[in-house]
Every structure is written in structure tokens, then in C-alpha cells.
Amino acid sequence: MDKWILIDGNSIANRAFYAMPPLTNSAGLHTNAVYGFTTMLLKLLEEEKPTHVLVAFDAGKITFRHEGYSEYKGGRAKTPSELSEQFPVMKDLLKAFGIAQFELAGYEADDIIGTLTRRADEQGVETLVVSGDKDMLQLVSPKVTVAVTRKGVSELEKYTPEEMAEKYGLTPQQFIDLKGLMGDASDNIPGIPGVGEKTALKLLHEYGSVEEVLAHTHELKGKMKEKIEAHKDDAIMSKKLATIFREVPLEQEADDIRYGGYEGAALAEAFRKLEFKSLLERLELGAGEGGAAAEGVRPEAELAVVAIKGDADADKLQELVAALQDGAEHGLYVEAAGENPHIADVLGLAVAAGGQVYAMTLDTLQAPFAEPLRSWLADPDKPKFGYDTHKADLALAWQGIPLRGAAFDVQLAAYLLDPTDGSQTLTGVAQRYGLPGVQPDEAVYGKGAKFKVPDEETLLRHLAAKADAVLRIAPLQRDDLEKTGMHKLFYELELPLSRILAGMELQGVKVAKEELEALGAELERGIADSVARIYELAGTEFNINSPKQLGEILFDKLGLPIVKKTKTGYSTDAEVLERLEPYHDIIPLILHFRQLAKLQSTYVEGLLKEVRPDTGKVHTYFRQTIAATGRLSSQFPNLQNIPIRLEEGRKIRKAFVPSEAGWYILAADYSQIELRVLAHISGDERLKEAFIHDMDIHTKTAMDVFGVSAEQVDANMRRQAKAVNFGIVYGISDFGLSQNLNIPRKEAAQFIEQYFDVFQGVKQYMDDIKMQARKDGYVTTLLERRRYLPDIKASNFNIRSFAERTAMNTPIQGTAADIIKLAMVRMDEAIKDRKLKSRMLLQVHDELVFEVPEEELELMKQLVPQTMASAIELDVPLKADVNYGVNWYEAK
DNA sequence: ATTTACGAC
DNA sequence: TGGAAGTCGTAAATG
């Protein structure tokens, strides 16, 4: 039994383009439409198992429809270049799939498909038409089903004659009449003005066709009658335009669209170029199940692995340890299961050495006979090439196995080479370098709740594949780091920092539980009180934490004005609530409740959950490969967003205490580091001057922007100037500033103009950096950290504007991140050199936190800010302020 | 799993 | 025409 699938290529590509988020490969080629199209195609091939497949495309701009009606498809926006550049790619991909594609001058894809379905009807071949457009419904027949995309492209809604009757009460033929009456704005088919789907359906149910409707206009009345009589000709022409032409002179025959399955190698190559990682993985997974195997993909099964299983294999371990003495580079992979390395299970490890790959589970590594291997792991002078050695370091440390001597890290390198590429999985990195052969973790372990450690054989093979991949990828990445000028950044900053971070994390921060619990009890009382008063004012009980329920109370029950909506309902965020304050006494209570609930759930209960019962400490995990600007991030718990702005929240900091009696918490933070960085990289003389004289930068900005003297700057002027300075750092827009200051956009625009008038060097920098981003496709920080901005040339204003703000912000935020990282490396050295007992505990973007014994207090008060200020020499001085106290709260 | 809201710099 | 502030992580509700 034959089965045909006929796809409207243009229509699906369009749908995919607008439904998918923007996606580009590293060459800057947009790929989202191709991606959406491909996932749909793969799904169709798998589910429908067709014998024949065709993708039809529109050819050229002028079709026979324009002969009678030159306005056809008029007024349509030009296809954006982000989409049009994807058509050739899509056509190439179809070749790799081995799928036929037709286009014929003067005809649209619809007509080609219409002609083929006529043949299918005649021959009685079961056929599925796939389109993003309901126009195709006129082709439905007992043999022909039409599937229309719904929500993006992944879901299809199929129509048979029965379903059409059920849903519209129309035959396929009548669908043409429907369009004749109501028209189609997207094709510029007029129809009858004022007649929409509702009216058109009513008329057709009554009279059956356009012709019959027009013959019976005397039976109609009112406005509708007038309109229809006035636009009879339009209706007739619209029906003609909407009719798919089913007699296209096609030379091809059924055999020309026969589909014999794709050839894996060609497809894999195409996916690789497009950087469709997940699809590539799917292809490789499918290969094991009898699908076409991609050429050049060496399955893990074929890797020779030396499995070391307990002391029965002591001889193999000896062989490994011997191989590790060869002075060559060795690959190491440690598998830690779970996101949090402080509580992760170490499943095992693999070492690539001497042309072999050895692998073992944790049991074996911990056995007495493995001591020589553990010595190698602990030896800082035995260089290791690894993947996420930071996580490995922590996970092993908690098992009592020290790891030192990371000399290369594939994950860290992948991050520097493209920090916006969210997942630097080994599978993905290997693929990018054309070294496939690492199964995705998901395929080996399953995902989410279904996580399961496979049998030892499979596990060790997987670990071995990773260690092998690490060793082969590292030299390639090293070249790339060299080429992009990030060699030094990698070896002298990021790699040393990763070990320093691990040390800080293992040290942990002591938490005074009783302090948190007391605060929690206080919050509990406040919350209970707020809840009772809110229920009373609302006249009912509800879940205040539910934005949905809260919205219903505020806007439906109490009838407060709707300020803003989210895509799912009413917005109830703080900004909205603040605007509603004048309308109802319940609002301040809700704001207060929100504040207390946040502190309770996130900072009291959340933090308490993370405290280790044995040590009373929290051990955060600083992630070095997440933030696109080069900043660190902090997890489990996040110690970079502990409250400080409001006093109620700030009290949380009283719970962060030194881990030794009589010690102090010492915190030092950079003063205005981002604006100082801006002064340096923009070279703006006035801004530099301000910092050289260590002026209050917001006051100084107010003086210059408002043209007044220092004495004339009032609190409000300073506040506005401060907002402008923030805006400058973020890549300003008048709208953003107007929102922030709650002033009209015009005024905000004026502020910005005045600012740029005064700080012309800054203005110049903002223009230059955008131009540079357009020219190079990326921006860099002072230490050559790089961030690609493929969207900088987008035609969509929003997308392009976002990229432009990123271009302005990233060098500033990123350079600040570079500087504090440098300071951390220097501080670590200083502490070691002077053999101090003081410990670095935390980094909070512009702040470093230490615990310090009393006898080192005076020294550290000098050393820390001095080291931070001299981490790098800029055209303006850097400055760090220092404070200390018996807890983090007091270090202010 | 996604959305909303909110804490930090 | 309007769009529309940079970087993160966590908790709770809800699909």
C-alpha cells in the first residue's frame, strides 16, 4: 500500500520561522525555520512511514493569479532575510534526506500539491497533505487528509471529510466559497468587507455556495444585504483566487517522489554543519536500532576499554599507573551524578593514557590497591586534561580523594570559546570538533526521575568514551584559544580560579541556625498577621501566593483597575501593586506579605535546608561556565543574592558567621567598578576626571547633566542621575529609563541626550562598540573574553536592540568580572605566600568575603582592598572599601 | 516543565 | 507604529 505525503514547503517554513525562537549556528546563519521544519519532517517520517514524499515550493513572485488580479498577495511584508537565507539550506537538507522537491514557474506550492492530490484521488492512493495554511482544506477527500499545523509546527491537526463536516459543517468544495466570502488578508484576497468567518459560515449553511448566496441577496436584509450586493464581483473573484489550480502541467510522475529512507551519513553531516546537536544525537541513537548508521560515528561499543573491576584487576591498575609515567598528556573523566557536586555520587572515573582507556567505579578507586592512582590524582605536578574538573574536584573531595593538577578543562575551554552556548556537554563539544562517539548522558542514564545507573559494563564504557574524547578535544580547543586570543585568560585566570573556587566551596560558610530560626519565628508571626488582615479585607480566604487567585480577588472581586497583563492573566508584580496602592488598603498588606513570604521561604527555610547538620555550614557551588558575561553564578544555595537593600531582609546576614570562635567576617567591595571600567574603556575625559578625583559619581553626573553646582544637587537630582548611570551600564533606552524613573519617555530621552552631550566619550564608545559588534560578530572584555552576538544584524527591532544593549553592556560587566577574578587569584596567592589563616569564602560580583582571625584583622583590612585595587591598572584608579564584624550583617 | 515573582550585583 | 534596562538562581503555583 502506497502512502504519499505532500508538504507545502513555504508555508511550513514560515510557520516554523515565526514559531521557533531565534537560533543561529556559530557561523551566524539563522537556522530556526530549518530546525522546525526538520523536526516536523522527522516526526512525519517516523509516524506515517510514507512510501512517497514531496516538498513543494513556490517559484518566483508572479503566478497566474496575478494575471487576473495584480494585487494578489499585495501588501505583504517582505520576507525577512533571516528566513529567506534559510530556504537554500532547507533545500540542501532535503537532498540529504533523499526527499523530492518540486517548484514550477508561475505556480504556487498549493497548485502543485493540488494537482498531485487529484492524481492521488484518481489512483486511490492514501495521501497526507501538510501545510500551515487552512486553504488546503479544499483538497480533502476520502483518500486525502489535510494536516494543518497548530501551535508552532510540532502539532498537526488532521482533517478528513467527516472532521470538516463536524467542525465547519462544510464540504471541502465549500471551503473555497468560505474564502470567497470572507477573503484572506494575508493573501490580499478581499472577499466581502464586513463578512467574517461567522457570517460566511451562516450564509453557506443557508445557501451552499457563493453563487447561491449572490442569487438570493433579496432574501437578506440590513447592512449585510447592502454590502454583499455591492461586492458581488469581489466575491466571485475572491472565490476564483482562492481556488487551488489542480491542472498544473507537471512532468514528474509518482515514481519521482518515491522515498526510500534517508542516508545517515549525509544527514549527519548536514546536521553537524547546522549544529543541530539534539537531532544529531537522535540520529545516532536511531542508528543502533536498525536505522541508517552515520558514517564516521564510532559508537561507544567499539572503543577498547580496560575495565578495572576490583583488586582482581590489580595488574591492569599497575599497567595504568605505569602508563601515567610516560610524560605524555592524559585524559581524565570523573562522573559525579547529580547537579550538586557537594552531595553527588561519584559513579566512577576513566583515564586515557598510553593509547588505552582505563575505567573503574568508585569502589575500585577507593580500594587499597588503587593507592598509586589516588596519588597520581592528588599530585599537582602530574598534569591532567579533564572535563569540569571543578565539579570532579568537589565530588572526589567529599569522598576523601584529593584531585590536583588540572592542566586543561574541556568544559571551561568550551565556555570561553562560546559562553552563550548553554550546554557544554562533552557529546556536543565532541561533535562540534567532528569527533563524535560520546553517547549523550541522557541515552546512558535516562533523565529526570528515570535516572538510573546502567550495568557496570555500559557505565565504564561511557566513562571511557568521555576520557578518550577529552584527550582528543583538548589540543583542538587549545588551538582555538590561541587563535581567539584567550590562551592567557584560560591558563592564567580561569583555570587557576577553578581550583580556588573549589577550595572556597569546600571550606563553606558557617550558619548560625538559631539566628535563622529566631528570624523565621518572627517572620511567621508577621505572615500570620498579614494573612488574617488580607482575608478580612478581601472578604474571603484564598492563596495569596497564587498570582492567579490574587488577580481574581483584586481585579474581579474588588474591581481594581488592570495595569498590566501577563500572557496567562493579570499581572500582580510589585510594580503593578505599587500603582494600585491608592485604590485599596489591601495592597500594602499584600506587598508586605510578599516581602515576608519571600524571606521566609527562600532565605530562612531555603537556607536552613542547605545547612549541613554535621558542620553547620553551607557549601555553595560557584559556577564558572554559566553567565555569558564572565560573571560567576552561585547555587545550592545561591549566596550571591542574600538580601541587603531592605533592613528586614538584611537581618538574614546576621546568620552568616565565622566558623571559628573569635574570628571575624571581613567584606570588601569595589566602589563603582562598572563605571570605572566604562571610564577606562571609553576614555571619556570627564568620567575619568571624576574618578581620578574620587568624586561621588552620581552627584557629579547630576552636576554635569543638570548644569548645577555640587551644593545645588538635591536628593532627587542625585537619584535621577544614579538611574541614568545604571542605564548607561545596561545599554540605555529612553523607554527603560522612563520606566525606572516613572517619568515620561520624552523627559527620559532628554536626560540621555544631556548625558551624552556631557560625556561625549561615552557616546562615542556606545556607537563604536555597536559598530564593532556588527563588523566582528562579537565583543570582548579587557582580558579578551569574547561574546558572540549573531542577532546584532537581525531585522527584528527587538531582537537587534537586545543584541545592541548586550554589545554595550558585556564589555563593561565582563571586564568587571575579569578584574575581580584576577583579584581572587592574587588574594589566594597572597594568603598562601604569607601563610595566613584567613580564608576567602565568597564572591558577590563586586565583593569578596573572608573569615579572619583577630590577629590578622589589621593586616587583612589593608591587604584585601589593596590587592583588589591593584589587580589591574586602568586609566582610572580602582577602589575597594572594606568592613568587618562578627557576622556578615555587621561587616557593613 | 513552564510561568510568575523577586532576591542580588 | 511600537518595541523597550544588563547578569543570574530559587520558590511556588500551575499546566
Side-chain angles (χ1 to χ4, degrees):
Chain A
M1 265 292 273
D2 281 356
K3 169 146 195 193
W4 294 5
I5 293 186
L6 309 174
I7 300 170
D8 182 343
N10 290 78
S11 153
I12 296 294
N14 253 291
R15 284 293 167 130
F17 178 71
Y18 290 107
M20 306 287 298
L23 200 64
T24 48
N25 69 2
S26 46
L29 175 76
H30 287 80
T31 54
N32 66 332
V34 184
Y35 183 84
F37 186 88
T38 309
T39 51
M40 194 206 69
L41 197 56
L42 285 169
K43 197 170 158 196
L44 278 174
L45 295 178
E46 190 178 326
E47 287 175 3
E48 305 287 339
K49 306 206 186 311
T51 57
H52 296 67
V53 184
L54 169 77
V55 179
F57 289 102
D58 300 343
K61 289 207 157 23
I62 302 297
T63 71
F64 69 89
R65 286 186 177 79
H66 291 87
E67 288 168 18
Y69 179 57
S70 59
E71 310 298 307
Y72 180 66
K73 292 203 173 175
R76 210 179 238 203
K78 203 166 150 274
T79 308
S81 66
E82 290 89 337
L83 173 57
S84 55
E85 73 183 28
Q86 297 187 54
F87 278 103
V89 181
M90 211 172 323
K91 291 176 180 176
D92 283 344
L93 193 64
L94 285 171
K95 279 186 206 140
F97 263 105
I99 287 176
Q101 40 186 318
F102 290 179
E103 52 181 69
L104 195 61
Y107 297 96
E108 295 184 57
D110 304 26
D111 303 315
I112 295 174
I113 289 175
T115 303
L116 285 168
T117 55
R118 185 176 53 78
R119 292 189 194 168
D121 276 331
E122 289 163 7
Q123 296 164 28
V125 183
E126 199 188 327
T127 299
L128 179 69
V129 172
V130 183
S131 176
D133 202 329
K134 287 210 169 103
D135 292 1
M136 290 288 202
L137 291 184
Q138 62 186 273
L139 302 179
V140 169
S141 77
K143 282 290 166 192
V144 177
T145 304
V146 172
V148 181
T149 54
R150 192 172 57 179
K151 277 202 295 188
V153 284
S154 50
E155 270 184 64
L156 293 174
E157 195 165 22
K158 287 189 185 175
Y159 289 90
T160 59
E162 294 74 32
E163 278 153 348
M164 283 191 67
E166 197 177 313
K167 191 139 186 212
Y168 294 102
L170 297 181
T171 65
Q173 179 62 40
Q174 283 179 310
F175 218 81
I176 309 176
D177 294 279
L178 182 71
K179 213 160 148 184
L181 292 172
M182 60 185 271
D184 183 339
S186 72
D187 285 348
N188 210 23
I189 297 180
I192 295 170
V195 174
E197 185 175 297
K198 285 265 155 48
T199 314
L201 281 174
K202 210 175 86 191
L203 289 167
L204 287 176
H205 292 155
E206 179 88 18
Y207 300 105
S209 72
V210 168
E211 290 75 14
E212 286 301 304
V213 171
L214 298 182
H216 293 84
T217 49
H218 56 277
E219 294 171 18
L220 304 170
K221 50 190 184 238
K223 273 259 184 279
M224 190 163 74
K225 178 180 176 180
E226 286 171 34
K227 283 216 168 126
I228 294 178
E229 287 183 333
H231 291 93
K232 278 189 174 182
D233 293 346
D234 281 341
I236 299 283
M237 182 188 67
S238 296
K239 179 170 174 180
K240 208 185 272 172
L241 284 173
T243 306
I244 292 175
F245 183 67
R246 308 185 65 173
E247 305 284 347
V248 174
L250 279 181
E251 289 169 11
Q252 292 91 337
E253 297 167 12
D255 252 0
D256 294 318
I257 65 169
R258 187 173 290 282
Y259 173 67
Y262 52 79
E263 207 252 310
L267 203 52
E269 183 51 35
F271 285 177
R272 231 187 318 277
K273 273 194 201 147
L274 291 164
E275 295 166 19
F276 290 168
K277 288 168 231 159
S278 59
L279 295 184
L280 198 51
E281 281 164 20
R282 217 161 105 183
L283 205 62
E284 285 177 24
L285 287 182
E289 298 153 14
E295 209 181 318
V297 175
R298 178 183 42 65
E300 288 184 2
E302 285 175 22
L303 180 72
V305 182
V306 182
I308 302 177
K309 300 178 175 180
D311 52 13
D313 292 327
D315 52 334
K316 293 181 189 164
L317 189 103
Q318 251 188 339
E319 183 187 303
L320 165 59
V321 174
L324 289 172
Q325 314 304 322
D326 65 4
E329 293 161 341
H330 307 298
L332 169 69
Y333 185 80
V334 177
E335 191 78 299
E339 289 257 293
N340 184 344
H342 293 291
I343 53 174
D345 282 326
V346 176
L347 301 182
L349 92 177
V351 184
Q356 299 273 18
V357 194
Y358 302 80
M360 69 203 74
T361 60
L362 178 66
D363 297 346
T364 302
L365 178 63
Q366 284 177 323
F369 82 101
E371 170 52 32
L373 179 60
R374 295 197 296 274
S375 297
W376 175 77
L377 287 172
D379 189 342
D381 297 322
K382 297 283 162 63
K384 289 124 195 132
F385 286 6
Y387 175 88
D388 200 354
T389 52
H390 176 185
K391 186 178 186 186
D393 184 338
L394 295 175
L396 285 176
W398 285 101
Q399 301 300 328
I401 303 171
L403 174 63
R404 293 291 187 281
F408 195 88
D409 192 300
V410 169
Q411 190 193 42
L412 203 48
Y415 166 72
L416 288 187
L417 290 169
D418 186 358
T420 50
D421 179 57
S423 84
Q424 295 97 6
T425 65
L426 205 36
T427 311
V429 179
Q431 251 156 29
R432 278 204 287 287
Y433 283 98
L435 299 170
V438 184
Q439 292 281 342
D441 283 338
E442 236 177 61
V444 178
Y445 302 110
K447 64 171 166 184
K450 280 185 288 196
F451 182 93
K452 206 173 144 260
V453 181
D455 63 89
E456 192 172 340
E457 206 62 41
T458 309
L459 174 68
L460 295 187
R461 210 164 50 218
H462 185 52
L463 303 193
K466 289 186 176 185
D468 176 61
V470 163
L471 193 55
R472 301 205 279 152
I473 291 166
L476 304 172
Q477 286 184 319
R478 193 166 45 195
D479 289 349
D480 283 349
L481 289 168
E482 192 72 60
K483 271 186 242 164
T484 52
M486 291 191 284
H487 198 262
K488 201 169 165 201
L489 176 67
F490 179 79
Y491 285 103
E492 293 180 25
L493 187 65
E494 298 290 358
L495 200 58
L497 181 69
S498 70
R499 174 77 259 289
I500 295 168
L501 291 173
M504 293 161 63
E505 294 153 356
L506 285 169
Q507 180 60 44
V509 186
K510 179 87 171 174
V511 170
K513 276 186 110 168
E514 57 301 336
E515 194 74 46
L516 274 186
E517 280 157 357
L519 198 55
E522 199 183 307
L523 287 169
E524 203 54 62
R525 288 192 291 275
I527 288 170
D529 187 52
S530 293
V531 167
R533 287 160 67 189
I534 288 168
Y535 289 167
E536 183 161 6
L537 283 186
T540 178
E541 298 195 357
F542 65 102
N543 187 346
I544 312 167
N545 274 320
S546 162
K548 189 165 175 272
Q549 293 182 37
L550 179 62
E552 281 159 15
I553 297 287
L554 295 183
F555 305 111
D556 294 338
K557 187 148 190 289
L558 300 180
L560 298 181
I562 295 156
V563 180
K564 185 166 73 168
K565 286 191 150 196
T566 68
K567 54 184 150 184
T568 54
Y570 308 121
S571 171
T572 67
D573 65 22
E575 191 195 319
V576 168
L577 296 183
E578 274 157 26
R579 283 182 199 283
L580 293 175
E581 285 220 51
Y583 295 94
H584 205 287
D585 290 342
I586 199 171
I587 302 297
L589 293 174
I590 291 167
L591 283 165
H592 188 235
F593 168 86
R594 281 251 179 96
Q595 190 199 349
L596 301 184
K598 176 88 181 179
L599 290 174
Q600 183 74 304
S601 66
T602 306
Y603 295 106
V604 174
E605 291 167 354
L607 211 48
L608 282 170
K609 273 185 233 158
E610 297 288 344
V611 178
R612 306 249 157 175
D614 48 341
T615 61
K617 287 181 174 183
V618 286
H619 301 264
T620 191
Y621 176 33
F622 286 111
R623 300 206 54 186
Q624 211 177 342
T625 59
I626 300 294
T629 52
R631 277 189 175 184
L632 300 177
S633 79
S634 157
Q635 282 183 311
F636 318 127
N638 180 355
L639 295 183
Q640 290 182 321
N641 70 344
I642 303 300
I644 189 164
R645 273 189 45 245
L646 302 171
E647 175 58 25
E648 296 93 319
R650 191 172 195 159
K651 290 204 174 96
I652 297 283
R653 295 183 172 226
K654 292 187 178 185
F656 291 86
V657 298
S659 66
E660 317 237 4
W663 287 35
Y664 292 87
I665 297 291
L666 179 143
D669 66 305
Y670 279 112
S671 162
Q672 301 297 349
I673 187 165
E674 290 185 337
L675 289 172
R676 287 173 197 257
V677 164
L678 175 61
H680 175 85
I681 57 185
S682 71
D684 185 283
E685 288 304 332
R686 205 181 273 249
L687 199 55
K688 284 197 321 201
E689 198 66 13
F691 285 119
I692 287 166
H693 295 112
D694 198 22
M695 301 171 81
D696 176 320
I697 192 61
H698 303 315
T699 301
K700 169 70 173 150
T701 304
M703 287 163 60
D704 290 348
V705 168
F706 298 117
V708 297
S709 70
E711 297 73 38
Q712 290 170 300
V713 175
D714 61 26
N716 197 42
M717 289 161 81
R718 187 177 181 280
R719 182 182 66 87
Q720 305 210 40
K722 188 173 173 180
V724 173
N725 279 330
F726 266 94
I728 292 296
V729 169
Y730 291 157
I732 202 157
S733 76
D734 50 9
F735 183 86
L737 183 65
S738 75
Q739 288 278 296
N740 190 287
L741 285 176
N742 215 348
I743 56 171
R745 183 164 121 188
K746 280 227 161 87
E747 271 177 50
Q750 246 175 357
F751 279 169
I752 294 169
E753 202 187 321
Q754 284 166 14
Y755 180 95
F756 281 144
D757 258 5
V758 179
F759 298 98
Q760 291 183 13
V762 175
K763 168 75 178 149
Q764 188 68 46
Y765 161 75
M766 296 293 173
D767 292 339
D768 289 349
I769 194 75
K770 284 185 276 189
M771 206 154 64
Q772 199 182 337
R774 273 191 292 272
K775 179 166 87 59
D776 299 335
Y778 61 87
V779 292
T780 55
T781 67
L782 208 55
L783 299 192
E784 295 294 316
R785 185 188 304 280
R786 191 177 278 210
R787 178 171 182 179
Y788 293 94
L789 298 167
D791 291 340
I792 197 83
K793 290 181 176 168
S795 60
N796 178 302
F797 176 90
N798 279 334
I799 294 174
R800 187 179 63 248
S801 298
F802 194 84
E804 287 174 353
R805 290 195 293 274
T806 312
M808 296 184 272
N809 169 264
T810 294
I812 302 172
Q813 194 183 117
T815 298
D818 293 348
I819 293 172
I820 194 164
K821 282 176 166 178
L822 261 179
M824 293 172 78
V825 173
R826 301 276 157 80
M827 266 317 301
D828 183 71
E829 282 167 5
I831 286 175
K832 281 189 185 127
D833 288 350
R834 296 165 189 247
K835 300 193 166 46
L836 299 178
K837 292 185 198 151
S838 295
R839 302 163 184 145
M840 187 153 60
L841 299 178
L842 298 173
Q843 187 250 49
V844 193
H845 310 308
D846 67 350
E847 174 186 15
L848 295 177
V849 180
F850 298 80
E851 57 182 3
V852 177
E854 175 133 37
E855 69 270 19
E856 292 178 7
L857 206 45
E858 283 310 312
L859 171 66
M860 289 289 281
K861 274 164 62 183
Q862 302 294 323
L863 180 63
V864 176
Q866 207 279 321
T867 305
M868 288 170 74
S870 62
I872 196 168
E873 182 131 358
L874 302 183
D875 293 343
V876 293
L878 283 175
K879 185 184 169 199
D881 300 312
V882 66
N883 296 99
Y884 68 94
V886 294
N887 56 48
W888 199 5
Y889 177 95
E890 299 296 339
K892 63 179 179 194

